DNA sequence: CATTTGTCTTTTGTCTTATATAAGACTGTA
DNA sequence: TACAGTCTTATATAAGACAAAAGACAAATG
């Protein structure tokens, strides 16, 4: 592998593997060539390939099975993977997503800023209802710039059951990294209250997140509102002064 | 390093280094011997030591500076390190902790269970108020079994400004790993409302956490209530149907 | 015939050795 | 003293040898 950009070899391998995944050289859950083989391809040792793949494994792009191979991890929605209080239904039932709508809106000032768009830029707004065992437990709203994701349509969103990361990936070649999540507690507004069947003003857990692609460019903004179930954990029964 | 317990070498090194830190062989922010030297000590190669230290670095036990050395990271409170909405005050001012009290209570059923104590076991309850720029933004309640931490007293807690992980470490040799955090949104109860100067019922972000030691034994339970600041982020201004 | 056991191949996982790079201390010189 | 080289020692990277695991398939076993 040619010494370009003055980065360590294994990091160059990371980039190369990523771009080959992007070029759809290997599909989801399909094994890559073995580390030894990749090493021969790139002209580096197995150990170097390994260190590169290590990074992609912790990023969640790949997964490994000893003695079997290294596989491309399918993109999946952050919330679908999360173990949040309301999402961990009885028996660990997986949450289901119900697409509510997909409309175009104009970005507010702050949002345009964080997404690197000009003020008032057109954004797609995808809204999903999250259900566990039939009950509505959460609401998610995903915002992506039309500029980066042109010609989005409801049909394709629906096809993928609202899995936006997967959509960005398959149709636009944009691989999203999980962004850092900010947590807030907010009172339910009219809209959320109706959909989640709670009182207006009831506390909801809000997850705000900015996802970037692997080059660090901000791509998708999303906000989720989650119902907190009632079982207020009572830590202790009686007290005595120290 | 003798082949004991049938674990990989580097993992045995992890355990050995941890126990030496526990034995106070090196203090906080003091450099360990070099990787090469440790390797000679343990009878393994520098690379193996490196892999072991890697783990401890991601765990937050150690930190490195290339060309200089590897250092013991001081224990610090999870919340003090966190970048939570209310904790990231203007200009990134660090939150201050104000000790409210330290009392003994009896564990409820669930709590006794998760802490591996018998029902009704005596727990220390340490309560702290979190301030940023003078304003009360949060409340933390920490529960630890008296059985594991005997003879705790207010003086020592106060000395360390309520830094419980540091206390467990210095006085009891128990190194706490950051446990996974569960997030909830709860209405402020009387007590919280008064301390945080909010209305009863106002949404608070609740962080619930079980910290274990490095052997995986549950040690400390803690709950924090954080005020969410008002600046409701308004993502968009106008909408049109798709 | 069904089931287990062995063995062979391919894969990831571990470990060592060699070398590169970074940081700071030291030293000679203007 | 100020500064530039260089030396020492630390972490970082790279390559390759070898171990362990998984699955396929053949041979043994009831």
């Amino acid at each position: 592998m040619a010494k370009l950009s003055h980065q360590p070899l294994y990091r160059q391998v990371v980039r190369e593997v990523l771009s080959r995944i992007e070029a759809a050289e290997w599909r989801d859950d399909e094994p890559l060539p073995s580390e030894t083989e990749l090493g021969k391809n790139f002209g580096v040792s197995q150990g170097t390939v390994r260190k590169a793949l290590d990074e992609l494994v912790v990023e969640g792009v790949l997964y490994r099975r000893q003695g079997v191979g290294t596989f491309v991890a399918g993109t999946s929605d952050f919330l679908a993977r999360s173990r949040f209080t309301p999402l961990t239904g009885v028996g660990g039932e997986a949450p289901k997503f119900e697409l509510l709508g997909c409309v175009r809106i104009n970005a507010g000032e702050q949002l345009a800023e964080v997404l690197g768009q000009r003020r008032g830029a057109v954004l797609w707004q995808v809204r999903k209802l999250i259900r566990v065992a039939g009950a509505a437990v959460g609401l998610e709203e995903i915002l992506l710039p039309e500029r980066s994701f042109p010609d989005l349509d409801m049909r394709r969103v629906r096809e993928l059951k609202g899995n936006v990361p997967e959509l960005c990936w398959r149709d636009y070649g944009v691989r999203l990294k999980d962004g850092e999540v900010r947590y807030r507690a907010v009172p339910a507004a009219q809209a959320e209250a109706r959909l989640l069947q709670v009182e207006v003003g009831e506390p909801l857990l809000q997850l705000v997140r900015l996802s970037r692609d692997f080059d660090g460019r901000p791509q998708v903004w999303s906000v989720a509102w989650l119902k907190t179930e009632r079982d207020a954990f009572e830590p202790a029964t009686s007290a005595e002064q120290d």
Side-chain angles (χ1 to χ4, degrees), chain A:
Chain A
M1 175 154 276
K3 179 78 173 183
L4 47 92
S5 79
H6 198 262
Q7 281 219 315
L9 259 184
Y10 75 89
R11 192 155 283 286
Q12 295 175 42
V13 173
V14 167
R15 298 187 62 85
E16 182 59 26
V17 170
L18 259 178
S19 76
R20 292 202 185 191
I21 292 177
E22 189 157 345
E25 195 155 327
W26 314 291
R27 281 172 213 283
D28 286 359
D29 301 304
E30 206 174 84
L32 272 58
S34 75
E35 295 175 350
T36 321
E37 186 139 353
L38 281 175
K40 237 182 295 178
N41 271 335
F42 297 153
V44 302
S45 76
Q46 178 255 343
T48 301
V49 171
R50 181 169 186 77
K51 182 153 190 182
L53 299 193
D54 274 348
E55 289 216 348
L56 293 169
V57 167
V58 306
E59 293 272 21
V61 176
L62 301 175
Y63 63 93
R64 283 198 256 239
R65 285 172 55 203
Q66 179 168 2
V68 182
T70 303
F71 303 80
V72 180
T75 57
S76 77
D77 197 82
F78 171 79
L79 286 177
R81 270 180 289 119
S82 299
R83 293 250 149 266
F84 275 98
T85 325
L87 299 185
T88 59
V90 272
E93 190 177 345
K96 284 196 166 53
F97 295 88
E98 179 184 326
L99 194 58
L100 291 176
C102 177
V103 302
R104 281 199 286 211
I105 63 174
N106 293 305
E109 192 166 4
Q110 289 180 290
L111 189 53
E113 169 92 24
V114 296
L115 283 175
Q117 303 287 313
R118 70 188 182 289
R119 190 172 168 178
V122 178
L123 305 178
W124 295 104
Q125 182 203 53
V126 177
R127 288 179 8 124
K128 299 186 283 181
L129 193 64
I130 308 168
R131 289 183 186 278
V132 167
V137 298
L139 174 69
E140 191 180 13
E141 188 176 304
I142 305 168
L143 297 160
L144 17 106
E146 185 179 48
R147 212 177 127 84
S148 314
F149 304 95
D151 306 318
L152 201 68
D153 61 37
M154 189 80 173
R155 186 182 53 76
R156 274 186 295 160
V157 177
R158 194 186 300 280
E159 255 174 32
L160 295 169
K161 292 176 180 159
N163 183 340
V164 171
E166 179 69 18
L167 180 79
C168 295
W169 176 233
R170 290 189 81 94
D171 293 355
Y172 300 93
V174 174
R175 182 120 197 163
L176 297 177
K177 252 198 299 205
D178 285 348
E180 197 147 318
V181 182
R182 290 201 311 154
Y183 302 90
R184 310 178 72 215
V186 299
Q190 277 278 336
E192 291 108 53
R194 186 163 28 84
L195 284 162
L196 300 178
Q197 296 178 312
V198 298
E199 300 288 311
V200 171
E202 182 156 326
L204 293 177
L205 180 61
Q206 189 186 54
L207 281 66
V208 182
R209 191 161 40 106
L210 175 67
S211 305
R212 298 167 184 272
D213 59 25
F214 273 83
D215 295 325
R217 283 186 298 259
Q219 293 283 6
V220 174
W221 179 268
S222 64
V223 185
W225 290 265
L226 299 180
K227 226 155 106 172
T228 303
E229 85 288 43
R230 272 268 161 248
D231 83 325
F233 185 89
E234 204 48 65
T237 44
S238 74
E240 55 175 276
Q241 194 63 42
D242 179 33

